[in-house]
Amino acid sequence: MNYEFTIIIPVYNEEDNLERVEKELLHYIEISTKNTKVLFVNDGSKDNSQALIEAICLRNEAFNYIKFRQNKGLSAAIKAGFDHTDTPLVGYIDSDLQTSPEDFNLLLEHIGTYDLVTGVRADRKDSFIKNASSSIANTIRRTFTNDGMDDTGCPLKVIKTDYAKRIPMFKGLHRFLPAMILLQNGSVIQIPIRHFPRMAGQAKFGLWNRLLGPLMDCFAYLWMKKKYINYEVEKIG
């Protein structure tokens, strides 16, 4: 199979969701507008996630996995996925499936013109505290980055792989992916997508992760923006 699109699925203690992930991604592969494969990144899960992942990959040719020795966080899992992607396009989705794989097709419609296409969760099905803290965090981040994005925490994105591989990832940078594409003189757009309640498992982010942590990360981003090296090769002899 000549694959065109890799979907990264970060996993941390999601054993109750993985069978549904398999079912939903198999359905999406059938309807995808690109030849698609799936890459699980097991971020040091302590439950039965790894055994389930290996079983899924054994029975599905388009599914593969990476397993971390220990938990390193979402940004590390996404970076590992970028590092191990060999297709022209890469995307990711959370294993809780609060967003639908089917909506990747909405994002793929625009990836030819843009270098990153991110979802915006319409009518979010989260608690008031989670929605409010995310809204405040997005406002703070948008003020620092001027990226124009309303929902960078949305776990549904498509990126041209050559741009993704050039992102200098650090912990927390998954919230700044559009801004990091803009630093490369790339182009970004946001597209409304559906959002659903979590069906199983536990959320991995609390108030610190959604609000105070991102505020600290904004200062790290500003430092990186000042020091960022960006060049284009015109000719090689």
Side-chain angles (χ1 to χ4, degrees):
M1 177 73 71
N2 184 23
Y3 293 110
E4 304 167 281
F5 179 38
T6 299
I7 298 175
I8 299 165
I9 305 182
V11 176
Y12 181 61
N13 295 342
E14 292 285 0
E15 61 181 3
D16 294 332
N17 280 313
L18 288 174
E19 288 186 1
R20 190 164 67 97
V21 168
E22 178 186 19
K23 178 181 177 180
E24 293 292 328
L25 267 297
L26 282 174
H27 170 68
Y28 175 69
I29 287 172
E30 293 179 353
I31 66 169
S32 177
T33 56
K34 303 288 184 182
N35 291 334
T36 300
K37 63 179 179 178
V38 175
L39 177 62
F40 289 108
V41 181
N42 184 357
D43 183 21
S45 296
K46 295 178 173 60
D47 62 1
N48 196 43
S49 291
Q50 182 59 27
L52 292 171
I53 288 170
E54 292 187 21
I56 291 170
C57 293
L58 188 62
R59 59 180 174 256
N60 296 291
E61 181 180 356
F63 288 65
N64 293 282
Y65 71 86
I66 300 168
K67 181 181 182 294
F68 282 2
R69 189 180 301 275
Q70 55 188 224
N71 178 249
K72 289 296 182 178
L74 180 57
S75 291
I78 292 171
K79 173 175 170 50
F82 289 167
D83 290 344
H84 289 80
T85 292
D86 58 4
T87 55
L89 300 174
V90 61
Y92 73 86
I93 186 172
D94 279 355
S95 49
D96 60 18
L97 291 185
Q98 286 194 257
T99 53
S100 171
E102 292 183 2
D103 287 346
F104 273 122
N105 281 349
L106 299 176
L107 308 189
L108 288 169
E109 289 180 17
H110 301 273
I111 197 62
T113 304
Y114 295 90
D115 303 304
L116 176 147
V117 186
T118 182
V120 178
R121 291 168 285 190
D123 189 23
R124 286 185 62 174
K125 308 297 184 182
D126 287 323
S127 68
F128 172 79
I129 292 176
K130 185 174 181 180
N131 285 338
S133 60
S134 293
S135 178
I136 294 169
N138 273 305
T139 299
I140 294 170
R141 176 203 42 72
R142 192 164 52 245
T143 300
F144 274 80
T145 64
N146 292 313
D147 62 9
M149 299 289 104
D150 297 316
D151 186 17
T152 60
C154 178
L156 199 77
K157 290 178 172 62
V158 176
I159 314 173
K160 291 177 180 175
T161 301
D162 56 345
Y163 281 83
K165 287 181 179 292
R166 291 196 297 264
I167 295 173
M169 296 289 281
F170 63 83
K171 188 174 182 179
L173 195 66
H174 61 275
R175 303 180 185 94
F176 293 82
L177 292 180
M180 296 308 299
I181 299 301
L182 291 174
L183 279 185
Q184 299 181 45
N185 296 323
S187 55
V188 301
I189 190 174
Q190 54 186 5
I191 302 297
I193 62 166
R194 296 170 292 170
H195 190 246
F196 305 92
R198 176 181 265 271
M199 300 293 292
Q202 299 293 323
K204 308 303 187 296
F205 293 92
L207 181 61
W208 170 263
N209 304 95
R210 296 193 189 98
L211 190 54
L212 300 180
L215 176 59
M216 296 176 64
D217 293 339
C218 284
F219 292 101
Y221 167 78
L222 289 181
W223 177 88
M224 180 176 293
K225 181 179 180 180
K226 184 177 180 180
K227 302 291 186 179
Y228 188 75
I229 296 173
N230 192 29
Y231 66 90
E232 295 181 18
V233 175
E234 181 178 10
K235 190 176 182 179
I236 299 177

